[in-house]
Amino acid sequence: MKRFLIGAFAALVSSSASADTYNYICKENGQTSQLKVDDTKNILQWKDETYRLRATEDCAKYGWRAEKDGIAFDFCTATQGYADFQYRSKTVQCNLQRK
């Protein structure tokens, strides 16, 4: 019984830890880039920059407010792994990478 409980706990911890990191492929002006959201550390990494995250209610479904050195944008997610944001007056469209 102990072995089952330990195994179940380990599975729960590993699945919840991996669920807090989201990897996206984003497209802007025909160029693709990777974007990573770490909801545990509250950071968004994109184009060699790291932004601090906080929750926002400005997104239709779910999203975060990314901020760094006076630059800020809302990274909003929708259904089916789609997300987008406005960056310097351009729309960046992203799709969640599936494992």
Side-chain angles (χ1 to χ4, degrees), residues 66-82:
E67 301 172 330
K68 178 186 180 186
D69 299 333
I71 297 171
F73 56 89
D74 290 331
F75 182 79
C76 299
T77 65
T79 58
Q80 306 297 319
Y82 175 81

Side-chain angles (χ1 to χ4, degrees), residues 17-71:
S18 64
D20 294 329
T21 301
Y22 307 95
N23 295 296
Y24 290 86
I25 297 294
C26 300
K27 189 175 273 191
E28 172 192 19
N29 292 335
Q31 300 290 317
T32 60
S33 58
Q34 293 185 330
L35 183 144
K36 178 179 171 182
V37 173
D38 188 326
D39 199 24
T40 303
K41 295 179 182 176
N42 291 321
I43 59 171
L44 180 147
Q45 295 174 309
W46 180 59
K47 292 189 172 184
D48 297 325
E49 299 288 340
T50 301
Y51 299 86
R52 302 302 289 142
L53 292 178
R54 63 179 172 85
T56 183
E57 294 179 11
D58 292 336
C59 295
K61 281 282 194 182
Y62 186 77
W64 300 270
R65 180 78 174 164
E67 301 172 330
K68 178 186 180 186
D69 299 333
I71 297 171

Side-chain angles (χ1 to χ4, degrees), residues 74-95:
D74 290 331
F75 182 79
C76 299
T77 65
T79 58
Q80 306 297 319
Y82 175 81
D84 67 6
F85 60 98
Q86 293 290 317
Y87 185 80
R88 296 186 179 170
S89 73
K90 296 185 180 168
T91 300
V92 180
Q93 298 174 324
C94 305
N95 285 298

